[in-house]
Amino acid sequence: MDTESESPDTAAMALAAAARLASPPSRAFERIRQLRADPGSRQVIPLVVDYLATVHNDPEAAGALLLDIAFTDCGALEPADHACLLLASDCLRQVPSLPAAAVDEVLTALAKATDRQLTRELVASFEATAAKLSRHRPGAALVAALAHLAERPNSVTRWWSARLLGSAAATSEQARSICRVLLADDDPWVAANAAFGLARAGCRERAVLAALASGADDYSTSLLGDLGAAIAGDEALGAAIGSLLDDAEADVRRYAAVALVKLGRIDERLMQALVALLDDESMENRFYAVRALSLLGPVDDRVAAALAGRLTDAHWLVRVHSAEALTQLGHADDRAWQALVAALTVDDGHTAGSAGGVFERLARVPDSAAEALVGLLGHADAMVRFHAAAALVRAGRGDERVGSALVDLLRDGGARLRRPPVTAVLSSLGAISDGLDRELRELLAVDDEDLRFAVCDVLVRLGRGDSDVLVLLQEILDDASSPLRACAANVIDMMARADGRPALAQASLLTSSCPTWRLHAAEHLVRAGHADERALAVLREALSEARAFERWRAATVLAEQTVVDEQVIQALWSVLPETYTVQVARTLWRLGRLDAQPLVDAARRIKPDAVAAFAAIEHVAAGDEPAAEEVVALADLLADDGGDQASRELLEWWLNRRAGRPQ
């Protein structure tokens, strides 16, 4: 059990509580059953299982307690909320070693429940538990449950089903058969997981090895690490993947090469294969070969020369990334830098932006490249000038010339280039000279609202916002026809936050003609502890807004301030079916005003004729125990793929909240 994220006092108290509950072990079962529904005890219960397994050195008792948690006296709602099963899954993830039979039984139940309902909570629990137990070898019942789950459209459940099935491939014919089907899955991660299991089971067919290697770019860290560990323990597996470097298909050779690079299995044969792929007719293979070579660290002159040969490749992606690879590997000469600079001038919709991204990732550029970039500040194409200026700024060479070039682009580059590209780069200068400040302020008099706003935005971000800037922003805010009103409000709010003067936001926004930004200001002020009658009046006014989002925001802020009356409750109730369903329900729950009616309404939106499910909700909300058939109907309702997704999430949240699961 990992308690490192808790404070020492909290962890010590939890461990002490676990010790009391686990001693003597014969009484632990009854105690834990009584505590399962207590939210405050859910973190302690896995510790009790761990205490039995490790301190008492009795994994059999710990396994028996796990099964008791999952399946004994779980309550009427268990088929719908799976509260005990989810708690047992939490224990599985936090206790390092339990008897395989107990693990298998809980995992089987979890897989079946997930297959039946596919709720967010079940999917998340299955993913986390399968990831933690990825090396567990499933028994026959679990293999059968995973076989169904692997067919579901949810990619996460297919990934982890394939991983667990792969662990059983060595001993289960059914698991091997399913893994072979999954080799053809459209998701390379699913195919790679299935292939990994088959490869560990001794399958060395080309299709298996190719699928295993082809997932290299999609491997999770855990699968890549497990594959490396498997190869370390089975050199024949590494050699089998290496044999794909001689495959007749270039794509397969590339898969193998990339996988071996990521696994750190670098040798002369691999280097030769990657260099050969640089001349492949497939752009994708050339590109991936460049990417793989860039990960190698120091390379010899032969590899550097091969990469340099791609600086004139027919495809922009290969050219640009070859230049970047040479800079990363310390072999960038003038040709590489010239290729990157030249790429900034290619007007094909791709090359210049990609080269600009390379400059953004580089920590520095040499003087020769910087001089070439400065030369482009006078280029006829505005986009080329922008990329050159941006590259210089990102390389820490944003001097007065670069700033002036960006101001010119702000004025002449057009609205699409002006915001956000140019404003973002100008704002990143950090500090500007008084001369550049004057150049910017001269543009405040230009008859172009978009330009004036962009200049105000830059000045505020550079810490040079003043009363003149505020006046211009206020004019935009009060112009009912301006498309920039929301943007102006954001910048005014930025000024208020930067200056630590919420009164500035209050004066500028509470009096705006825009109700959205009056609400924004009131919300900010109240939450910052500066509520006054005007701010509260704006919030109350918003409770009657036509838009559900505005009513929700206003009611939520008022509820946080304990300014709660029937008007606030009614506003929250009116919002519940429309937007932010779970957030609204959480507020109503906290206020003690979430009763059965909105929950039944949500169920009706999923399945209008589910009368028995409606009855289950009403009984549970009233504190009564629903009939068994009503609970089954509620579980069927949650398993329904149709209906309203937000309503389903509301019911799932409500059931989890009642079960005491953290929300």
Side-chain angles (χ1 to χ4, degrees), residues 76 79 116 610-616 619 626-637:
R116 173 174 168 74
V611 177
F614 306 158
H619 284 139
E629 61 271 17
E630 293 174 349
V631 177
V632 171
L634 181 57
D636 289 340
L637 180 82

Side-chain angles (χ1 to χ4, degrees), residues 243-572:
S243 70
L244 296 178
L245 294 175
D246 300 320
D247 196 88
E249 290 188 26
D251 287 359
V252 175
R253 297 198 300 274
R254 183 249 295 179
Y255 298 152
V258 172
L260 290 168
V261 167
K262 289 194 170 186
L263 290 166
R265 296 178 65 84
I266 315 299
D267 57 20
E268 179 60 25
R269 185 160 162 254
L270 173 61
M271 300 289 279
Q272 290 176 358
L274 287 170
V275 169
L277 283 169
L278 291 175
D279 293 321
D280 193 79
E281 62 181 14
S282 163
M283 180 282 297
E284 192 173 25
N285 287 340
R286 298 196 306 275
F287 169 69
Y288 275 102
V290 169
R291 285 268 304 273
L293 286 167
S294 72
L295 300 174
L296 294 181
V299 296
D300 57 30
D301 291 341
R302 175 198 47 157
V303 174
L307 282 169
R310 292 296 101 205
L311 294 174
T312 56
D313 193 275
H315 198 280
W316 64 271
L317 198 59
V318 179
R319 293 195 303 273
V320 170
H321 283 274
S322 294
E324 182 175 18
L326 286 166
T327 64
Q328 290 173 335
L329 296 170
H331 283 268
D333 56 14
D334 282 345
R335 287 181 303 165
W337 289 109
Q338 287 169 10
L340 279 175
V341 173
L344 294 176
T345 68
V346 179
D347 184 17
D348 61 3
H350 304 288
T351 307
S354 181
V358 172
F359 277 110
E360 183 174 354
R361 292 189 290 275
L362 295 174
R364 62 175 188 81
V365 297
D367 292 342
S368 59
E371 290 173 7
L373 289 169
V374 169
L376 292 181
L377 295 177
H379 197 280
D381 189 312
M383 188 59 74
V384 174
R385 298 198 302 275
F386 166 71
H387 281 303
L392 287 164
V393 171
R394 288 161 183 155
R397 294 174 179 262
D399 57 17
E400 195 79 10
R401 287 176 301 175
V402 176
S404 293
L406 287 166
V407 172
D408 290 342
L409 283 168
L410 201 63
R411 181 185 60 238
D412 304 326
R416 290 186 63 185
L417 183 57
R418 180 180 298 144
R419 288 189 302 111
V422 175
T423 54
V425 176
L426 256 175
S427 301
S428 69
L429 285 173
I432 60 172
S433 66
D434 291 340
L436 200 56
D437 181 277
R438 284 193 297 273
E439 288 186 51
L440 283 166
R441 290 182 183 278
E442 287 173 3
L443 300 181
L444 293 175
V446 176
D447 187 19
D448 181 336
E449 183 181 73
D450 187 87
L451 174 58
R452 293 197 303 274
F453 168 73
V455 174
C456 289
D457 188 16
V458 170
L459 288 170
V460 170
R461 292 178 188 275
L462 289 172
R464 290 179 173 253
D466 56 18
S467 58
D468 292 338
V469 170
L470 183 59
V471 167
L472 287 171
L473 290 169
Q474 185 70 59
E475 289 176 358
I476 295 172
L477 189 64
D478 290 336
D479 181 358
S481 64
S482 174
L484 296 172
R485 296 171 77 196
C487 299
N490 275 328
V491 177
I492 291 173
D493 196 39
M494 193 189 313
M495 289 180 70
R497 293 171 188 268
D499 292 347
R501 290 184 290 156
L504 176 62
Q506 178 181 8
S508 301
L509 298 178
L510 283 181
T511 58
S512 168
S513 60
C514 174
T516 298
W517 289 101
R518 289 200 302 273
L519 173 59
H520 176 86
E523 179 182 359
H524 169 68
L525 288 170
V526 169
R527 283 182 167 158
H530 296 279
D532 62 13
E533 287 304 317
R534 286 188 300 169
L536 294 174
V538 168
L539 291 171
R540 290 228 170 255
E541 176 188 357
L543 293 176
S544 304
E545 276 285 331
R547 292 199 303 165
F549 176 69
E550 310 292 356
R551 298 199 302 277
W552 168 66
R553 285 176 62 189
T556 301
V557 175
L558 287 168
E560 288 172 358
Q561 303 301 312
T562 66
V563 185
V564 181
D565 54 21
E566 280 306 309
Q567 185 185 13
V568 173
I569 298 298
Q570 289 301 318
L572 288 167

Side-chain angles (χ1 to χ4, degrees), residues 21-22 24-36 45 48 52 64-65 68-69 72-73:
L21 290 168
S26 58
R27 296 194 58 191
F29 290 65
E30 180 183 352
R31 291 167 176 164
I32 295 304
R33 279 183 217 146
Q34 295 172 354
L35 292 174
R36 279 181 303 195
I45 290 174
V48 178
L52 287 176
L65 178 58
D68 196 75
I69 291 168
T72 302
D73 296 339

